[in-house]
Amino acid sequence: MVGPGSLEEGASVAVKNGVNARLVACAIVIFMILTAMFVIGKTVNVRQEPVAGVQMSLPDQILGWHGYLAKVSQVERDILGEDTEFARKIYLSPDGKLGFFLSIVLSGKDRTSIHPPEMCLRGQGWQLQPTTDIVTVRISEPKPYVLDVMKLEAYIPGNLKTGGGKPQKLLYLYWFVGKDLVTPFKNTMTYRESWDRIAYGKSHRWAYVTLAAIVQPGDETSTLRLMRIFLESAVPMFQTFVPEKQ
């Protein structure tokens, strides 16, 4: 005989199974929608919007740091879209003891120009730390706002070619800039890009901005502080899109 307790347990299981089934169904629908957006966003014919949220020229000097042109490798040009644009310089501190690598990669019609930074860093031999952080930079011009950038840390244990050498550590800040959006998240950029293609039939030019520095062990905090100060002055010189939020 089945008692009340068994009936209650059976009903409870049935309810839970029903809820679980609905959750699974919702998850499948969401997955299919996102997959469709991604595929269509990559394949549908769209018109290229010429306006970007950055200008592709970097100043010769920022806060007394002198900038020197940094070469774009042929490998990068071969892998990325042929209409990809680059602006990059290495800035040396006034005492010559520290260098910052500032880079802007601007996509064209080919969306492979903008890719996860982890891909390039691993390809160059860097081992990534497991965590990332959002770093805030307070921009004052042309009006005050807070710029959120992603921070990665990576290291090379030693010289990979000889098996020796001193370890190196990298501080890597990056964010993405569109015509009317700035975000530190690659997924946000990809979603917006796919939505614009599907809903409006247009493709905006996205910029992937990087500021990187090789630091000595123990100098991470002071170097990050200098990088934030550097960006406070540098960003208004090349980023033309200014978000509304402050």
Side-chain angles (χ1 to χ4, degrees), residues 110-142:
D110 189 337
R111 313 317 297 168
T112 60
S113 301
I114 307 298
H115 50 275
E118 293 87 350
M119 183 188 305
C120 285
L121 292 176
R122 289 194 180 98
Q124 295 170 15
W126 292 98
Q127 299 182 25
L128 302 181
Q129 299 284 59
T131 59
T132 58
D133 296 300
I134 297 295
V135 173
T136 58
V137 180
R138 298 192 176 277
I139 308 299
S140 58
E141 296 179 2

Side-chain angles (χ1 to χ4, degrees), residues 10-155:
S12 177
V13 170
V15 170
K16 289 180 180 178
N17 287 340
V19 171
N20 289 337
R22 286 194 295 271
L23 290 175
V24 170
C26 288
I28 292 174
V29 170
I30 293 173
F31 174 78
M32 292 176 66
I33 291 173
L34 292 177
T35 301
M37 289 181 64
F38 178 81
V39 173
I40 295 174
K42 296 294 182 183
T43 57
V44 69
N45 289 327
V46 296
R47 65 181 183 275
Q48 177 74 58
E49 292 292 311
V51 179
V54 296
Q55 60 182 24
M56 295 303 289
S57 61
L58 295 174
D60 294 330
Q61 190 175 146
I62 300 174
L63 294 178
W65 295 54
H66 290 277
Y68 302 88
L69 289 177
K71 185 178 179 181
V72 180
S73 69
Q74 190 59 47
V75 174
E76 288 178 283
R77 296 190 184 277
D78 291 340
I79 293 177
L80 303 181
E82 62 180 12
D83 55 354
T84 303
E85 294 184 38
F86 302 87
R88 53 179 59 159
K89 286 186 177 182
I90 296 175
Y91 289 88
L92 295 181
S93 61
D95 60 8
K97 295 182 179 180
L98 185 61
F100 287 162
F101 172 75
L102 180 59
S103 169
I104 306 173
V105 178
L106 182 63
S107 70
K109 204 167 187 178
D110 189 337
R111 313 317 297 168
T112 60
S113 301
I114 307 298
H115 50 275
E118 293 87 350
M119 183 188 305
C120 285
L121 292 176
R122 289 194 180 98
Q124 295 170 15
W126 292 98
Q127 299 182 25
L128 302 181
Q129 299 284 59
T131 59
T132 58
D133 296 300
I134 297 295
V135 173
T136 58
V137 180
R138 298 192 176 277
I139 308 299
S140 58
E141 296 179 2
K143 71 174 187 177
Y145 69 94
V146 174
L147 174 67
D148 290 335
V149 304
M150 189 69 73
K151 176 174 74 73
L152 290 178
E153 293 187 13
Y155 65 94

Side-chain angles (χ1 to χ4, degrees), residues 197-223:
R197 286 173 169 246
I198 295 170
Y200 304 108
K202 62 176 65 174
S203 173
H204 293 290
R205 305 194 71 183
W206 283 88
Y208 162 41
V209 188
T210 303
L211 182 68
I214 295 177
V215 300
Q216 298 298 320
D219 291 346
E220 294 89 349
T221 301
S222 59
T223 302

